[in-house]
């Protein structure tokens, strides 16, 4: 497998690790990128953007990164916090009055971002069309009662997270999530990241390929104590292959990006000359809001205001202040403030996590820290 792209001489081992993922048969198409202190020191890609292996993966290939999108939404909210338009401890109903219905008046923004709001799914039936259309979904959130006492536990808000954060942003800022991200994040950084992919870029979108055990977590949640996290609607691994999904705004799970675009976003928060948010805002956004066990899957978790702070998520050598978010099937973006590092790995081959942390990205992260 030919690996394309460039690295600084120090990061040659990253190319070797990336090539090994293909040699081991773990990839169809993928890309990895690293930004160090404001400078892109690696951007590599290889393989194919489709299951038939007819379309080569290119520098500009965009891929759905699922819940990695949540980290970019966390940045968007942090930008509004820094500008004084929101507070993390503010009640969502202060800016979205309809949300107060059925006992939700005291739910805060940081509870929604840390998966402790009691709204991990809808209590009414909702098909994918309602999710994609935005208003039916947010109106259902506003009308429902919490599924459990807000603040009492953590249950991953797989889809509701994005609409909770996104509608709060829209009520305060006036722009839809797609426009805010393009105006304030992607556009300012020259980074390829979209929530709501414009049709003109549709030809660059990779086909998502469901690998063995990719959907095991969905089935496990549906059988568990918190099934609403994967109901109304139930996530489908190949949904991003439809134009309707790509075009919609699903801030909890349909961001499309290149590895370089995602690495630039995380790298900007911890290095470089013109960060979108200050270091003090980063510290506040990554302050621990919940630490314990997620009731939907029994896994340990640690959440800031939308960023995952699990120490093992970014490898054993990442600094304790590292933050980011993973995505269904393997994608990952994170920042290491001490190293001034932004890392991104994206793939169209969705694998399961039953055997632990994805070996592809673990191998890549190890190579990055070997190079530092």
């Amino acid at each position: 497998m030919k690996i394309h792209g460039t690295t600084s001489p120090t990061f040659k081992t990253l190319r070797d690790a990336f090539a090994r993922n293909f040699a081991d048969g773990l990839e169809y198409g993928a890309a990895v990128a690293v930004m160090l202190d404001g400078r892109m020191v690696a951007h590599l890609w290889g393989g194919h953007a489709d299951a038939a292996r007819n379309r080569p993966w290119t520098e500009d290939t965009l891929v759905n990164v699922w819940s990695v999108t949540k980290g970019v939404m966390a940045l968007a909210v942090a930008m509004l916090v820094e500008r004084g338009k929101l507070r993390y401890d503010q009640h969502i109903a202060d800016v979205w009055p309809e949300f107060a219905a059925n006992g939700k008046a005291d739910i805060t923004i940081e509870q929604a971002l840390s998966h402790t709001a009691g709204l991990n799914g809808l209590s009414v039936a909702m098909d994918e069309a309602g999710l994609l259309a935005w208003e039916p979904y947010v109106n259902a959130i506003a009308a429902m009662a919490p599924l459990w006492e807000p603040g009492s536990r953590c249950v991953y808000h797989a889809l509701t997270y994005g609409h909770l954060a996104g509608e709060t942003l829209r009520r305060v800022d006036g722009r839809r999530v797609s426009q805010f991200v393009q105006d304030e994040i992607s556009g300012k950084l020259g980074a390829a990241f979209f929530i709501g992919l414009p049709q003109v870029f549709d030809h660059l979108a990779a086909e998502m390929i469901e690998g063995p055990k990719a959907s095991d977590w969905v089935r496990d949640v549906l059988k568990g104590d918190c099934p609403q996290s994967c109901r109304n609607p139930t996530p489908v691994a190949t949904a991003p292959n439809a134009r309707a999904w790509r075009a919609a705004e699903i801030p909890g799970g349909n961001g499309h990006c290149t590895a370089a675009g995602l690495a630039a976003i995380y790298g900007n928060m911890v290095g470089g000359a013109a960060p979108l948010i200050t270091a003090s805002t980063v510290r506040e956004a990554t302050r621990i809001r919940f630490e314990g066990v997620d009731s939907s899957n029994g896994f340990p978790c640690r959440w800031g205001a939308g960023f995952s702070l699990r120490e093992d998520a970014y490898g054993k050598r990442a600094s304790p202040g590292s933050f980011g978010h993973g995505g269904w099937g393997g994608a990952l973006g994170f920042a290491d403030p001490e190293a001034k590092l932004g890392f991104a790995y994206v793939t169209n081959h969705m694998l399961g996590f039953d055997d632990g942390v994805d070996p592809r990205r673990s191998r890549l992260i190890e190579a990055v820290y070997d190079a530092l």
Side-chain angles (χ1 to χ4, degrees):
M1 173 62 63
K2 184 176 181 180
I3 302 302
H4 303 271
T6 60
T7 70
S8 66
T10 309
F11 283 84
K12 180 183 180 300
T13 54
L14 178 62
R15 181 184 291 270
D16 297 336
F18 189 53
R20 187 178 165 195
N21 286 343
F22 285 93
D24 287 350
L26 298 174
E27 300 285 21
Y28 277 81
V32 61
V34 179
M35 179 170 273
L36 192 62
D37 198 12
R39 186 171 67 92
M40 195 69 69
V41 294
H43 182 206
L44 302 170
W45 62 91
H48 295 85
D50 63 334
R53 303 185 193 272
N54 291 324
R55 269 202 300 145
W57 193 290
T58 72
E59 180 178 10
D60 299 321
T61 295
L62 300 164
V63 62
N64 192 104
V65 289
W66 293 102
S67 287
V68 169
T69 316
K70 291 180 173 71
V72 177
M73 277 307 301
L75 168 60
V77 173
M79 293 172 75
L80 293 180
V81 169
E82 181 164 294
R83 296 171 188 180
K85 292 186 175 183
L86 287 174
R87 301 188 321 275
Y88 285 122
D89 62 356
Q90 186 174 4
H91 298 143
I92 293 175
D94 290 349
V95 299
W96 179 3
E98 301 92 325
F99 182 82
N102 277 315
K104 301 194 302 301
D106 293 334
I107 293 176
T108 64
I109 292 168
E110 62 188 352
Q111 285 177 325
L113 295 177
S114 61
H115 306 274
T116 60
L119 301 168
N120 50 291
L122 300 185
S123 55
V124 297
M126 180 70 61
D127 59 13
E128 186 180 90
L131 171 71
L132 303 185
W134 191 267
E135 284 196 357
Y137 199 82
V138 296
N139 289 344
I141 292 174
M144 69 182 284
L147 298 172
W148 35 272
E149 182 183 352
S152 65
R153 62 201 295 204
C154 176
V155 180
Y156 189 60
H157 290 38
L159 290 173
T160 51
Y161 168 104
H163 285 68
L164 285 163
E167 183 65 8
T168 300
L169 180 149
R170 188 184 72 83
R171 295 291 179 120
V172 169
D173 181 80
R175 285 173 286 184
R176 297 182 67 91
V177 167
S178 58
Q179 195 64 52
F180 185 93
V181 169
Q182 287 305 298
D183 290 348
E184 303 289 349
I185 300 175
S186 303
K188 288 187 176 180
L189 299 179
F193 193 102
F194 303 90
I195 300 177
L197 185 67
Q199 190 163 8
V200 68
F201 298 120
D202 204 47
H203 68 288
L204 297 174
E207 178 185 2
M208 302 304 293
I209 302 163
E210 183 175 3
K213 303 180 181 180
S215 294
D216 281 5
W217 77 273
V218 175
R219 290 190 288 270
D220 289 346
V221 170
L222 289 172
K223 294 176 184 176
D225 296 332
C226 307
Q228 296 306 125
S229 293
C230 285
R231 284 182 180 163
N232 304 322
T234 296
V236 177
T238 55
N241 296 336
R243 173 62 199 156
W245 175 278
R246 295 171 183 168
E249 294 176 71
I250 311 171
N254 87 327
H256 282 73
C257 67
T258 63
L262 183 60
I265 290 171
Y266 275 103
N268 173 269
M269 285 189 273
V270 294
L276 296 178
I277 55 176
T278 63
S280 61
T281 299
V282 170
R283 287 192 295 271
E284 177 59 14
T286 58
R287 178 172 57 80
I288 296 173
R289 268 61 176 204
F290 179 87
E291 184 171 17
V293 173
D294 187 310
S295 298
S296 69
N297 54 34
F299 293 159
C301 62
R302 179 188 292 160
W303 292 107
F307 294 111
S308 174
L309 310 177
R310 272 184 59 180
E311 290 184 348
D312 62 344
Y314 315 119
K316 297 178 181 179
R317 295 153 72 185
S319 71
S322 296
F323 62 93
H325 213 293
W328 186 15
L332 177 69
F334 79 91
D336 183 331
E338 187 175 307
K340 298 184 178 180
L341 173 101
F343 172 90
Y345 162 69
V346 301
T347 178
N348 64 345
H349 191 201
M350 297 173 60
L351 300 180
F353 300 101
D354 57 304
D355 295 323
V357 177
D358 192 311
R360 298 169 296 180
R361 66 192 194 195
S362 295
R363 183 179 288 166
L364 297 174
I365 292 170
E366 279 297 302
V368 167
Y369 281 93
D370 284 343
L372 293 181

